[in-house]
Amino acid sequence: MGTKTQLFIIATIILAAITTIFLPVIITTISLAHHHQPLSNTPPDFPHDASQFLRSNGFNFIANLIHISPDLFISTPKATIFAIPDSIMSNLSIPPYMTIELVTYHISPNKLTIQDLFHKPLNTCFPTMFQQQQISITKQDQQNQLLEINNVLITHPDIFLQPSVAIHAVSGPFASFKLLPQINQLPICNNINQTQRLDVIKIKAEWKMMVKFLTSSGFTPFAFWLYNVLDGIIKDHLNLHTMTIFAPPVIEIMEMGPSVVHQLLRYHIVPKKYSFKHLASMPEGASIMTLCPGKEIQITGTVVNVSDELLSINRVEITSPDLLSSRSFVVHGIARAFAMDWAAS
């Protein structure tokens, strides 16, 4: 999705939120019971008809968004939309770009009526418009007409149907934003590709949190270049679940070619978590493998008393030990970047 398109959609998200709050709800002449009957022979005016139906049932945020930016919902020939209640949308403290992610995670590029969903086996996964991520049928009870997607109940099945579009109302969002400001806690579908995609999302979320922290802690140049090579590192190391990062405050790479930049950044990352105490307990001369293929860093100075916090790697002093630590990674601030005399431009 291009930058201009993202900016336009962000604007529509904000406008949809404003109109949801400040415009009076448009009441249609059609009265719908709790289990709503779908329209038959509906005209092709999807934005108007869908908006009217959703507003009449209290889904004003999604109704306004469909009215303002219908292309967000019908960018494919067919679609299924899962409408999140206003009460949920108004209580989500997330930025506009994440609202876009959340909404597109509730749109599937296939038309699926409630009967289509009941006919699929339990735990069936199907795609959404959010980064090719999938959602899953997690509960089925056709006798009582109960069906859950991502453990979220469909409260109003087939609230709106047209030949190419189906809309169902749900009790809440299919994803959460706990721990990290990214979509997480997604059900894992029964195929390896989906599992890998979920791993990538989680890894990226944690890396981005680390980059943000480094940027605000005096390591902006290193954080900037780390972010620029992030996709390549993740692509090459999908199973990288623990790591140690040595972050210099200044990094001189203006004269370096792209391949050397990649080597330099990876030379400062170790595919295992080493706290300062762990590093200090290692003997002088001990080598540690980095993400730069075939290249190691070395303990060149140890401490007698760990509390002195004096330790050098490749003759570069660790100035800010355990600067940032989580279950899977630790960041140590170092005085300067490691030298790479062996690297060729």
Side-chain angles (χ1 to χ4, degrees):
M1 184 180 292
T3 302
K4 291 184 178 179
T5 302
Q6 285 187 336
L7 291 174
F8 174 76
I9 295 176
I10 287 174
T12 63
I13 289 281
I14 296 172
L15 185 56
I18 293 173
T19 54
T20 298
I21 296 172
F22 295 106
L23 287 183
V25 177
I26 301 173
I27 305 299
T28 63
T29 57
I30 302 173
S31 177
L32 298 176
H34 180 72
H35 293 289
H36 304 274
Q37 296 297 322
L39 267 180
S40 58
N41 301 318
T42 54
D45 189 0
F46 164 76
H48 177 268
D49 293 341
S51 295
Q52 290 285 73
F53 261 68
L54 289 168
R55 284 195 186 97
S56 69
N57 289 278
F59 294 88
N60 298 291
F61 182 90
I62 298 298
N64 289 331
L65 195 55
I66 288 175
H67 179 74
I68 296 167
S69 185
D71 289 346
L72 180 64
F73 297 86
I74 51 173
S75 57
T76 55
K78 294 187 177 183
T80 299
I81 301 165
F82 297 94
I84 309 170
D86 287 355
S87 58
I88 300 295
M89 297 302 298
S90 62
N91 288 324
L92 284 178
S93 299
I94 56 176
Y97 81 91
M98 288 181 66
T99 305
I100 296 172
E101 293 179 351
L102 182 65
V103 170
T104 53
Y105 188 56
H106 290 71
I107 306 170
S108 177
N110 305 294
K111 181 189 175 184
L112 297 166
T113 66
I114 192 64
Q115 289 306 314
D116 292 332
L117 293 170
F118 273 125
H119 288 157
K120 292 183 178 296
L122 188 65
N123 298 321
T124 294
C125 294
F126 46 97
T128 70
M129 300 299 291
F130 172 58
Q131 298 181 1
Q132 298 183 327
Q133 294 306 307
Q134 296 185 339
I135 50 181
S136 175
I137 299 173
T138 52
K139 183 177 182 179
Q140 278 181 329
D141 183 352
Q142 188 162 10
Q143 182 177 354
N144 295 304
Q145 288 293 290
L146 296 176
L147 191 141
E148 292 183 0
I149 306 291
N150 283 27
N151 300 309
V152 175
L153 180 67
I154 294 181
T155 56
H156 299 68
D158 294 343
I159 191 174
F160 177 83
L161 291 179
Q162 275 191 356
S164 60
V165 180
I167 300 180
H168 312 289
V170 292
S171 61
F174 292 159
S176 67
F177 300 88
K178 297 177 181 177
L179 303 179
L180 295 171
Q182 302 288 336
I183 286 181
N184 55 62
Q185 289 192 344
L186 315 182
I188 296 177
C189 293
N190 295 325
N191 71 69
I192 189 169
N193 291 332
Q194 173 67 2
T195 301
Q196 287 179 343
R197 286 194 292 267
L198 293 174
D199 285 343
V200 168
I201 288 179
K202 293 176 181 177
I203 291 169
K204 278 190 174 183
E206 198 156 16
W207 276 86
K208 287 178 180 179
M209 182 184 72
M210 177 174 55
V211 167
K212 183 177 180 180
F213 176 84
L214 288 171
T215 301
S216 63
S217 302
F219 298 85
T220 301
F222 180 76
F224 173 80
W225 288 107
L226 183 62
Y227 184 80
N228 275 270
V229 302
L230 185 57
D231 286 342
I233 292 175
I234 292 175
K235 180 181 178 181
D236 294 341
H237 301 277
L238 280 177
N239 296 320
L240 183 64
H241 298 298
T242 60
M243 70 202 87
T244 302
I245 295 94
F246 296 95
V250 177
I251 184 167
E252 300 289 345
I253 64 173
M254 299 308 294
E255 302 296 326
M256 298 181 182
S259 64
V260 180
V261 173
H262 281 262
Q263 291 179 65
L264 177 62
L265 271 297
R266 295 174 192 229
Y267 192 47
H268 288 74
I269 303 172
V270 171
K272 186 176 179 180
K273 182 181 176 183
Y274 289 101
S275 67
F276 180 79
K277 185 176 181 180
H278 191 172
L279 291 171
S281 69
M282 299 172 70
E284 188 170 348
S287 295
I288 306 171
M289 185 61 67
T290 70
L291 289 186
C292 187
K295 298 302 177 182
E296 299 176 336
I297 53 177
Q298 191 176 64
I299 305 289
T300 51
T302 57
V303 294
V304 176
N305 185 348
V306 175
S307 64
D308 291 340
E309 297 186 352
L310 296 173
L311 180 67
S312 63
I313 309 285
N314 282 18
R315 304 189 185 282
V316 176
E317 183 181 345
I318 295 179
T319 55
S320 302
D322 299 331
L323 182 66
L324 176 65
S325 183
S326 74
R327 179 181 297 179
S328 57
F329 69 83
V330 61
V331 179
H332 304 296
I334 56 178
R336 62 184 184 278
F338 296 143
M340 293 199 324
D341 300 331
W342 43 264
S345 299

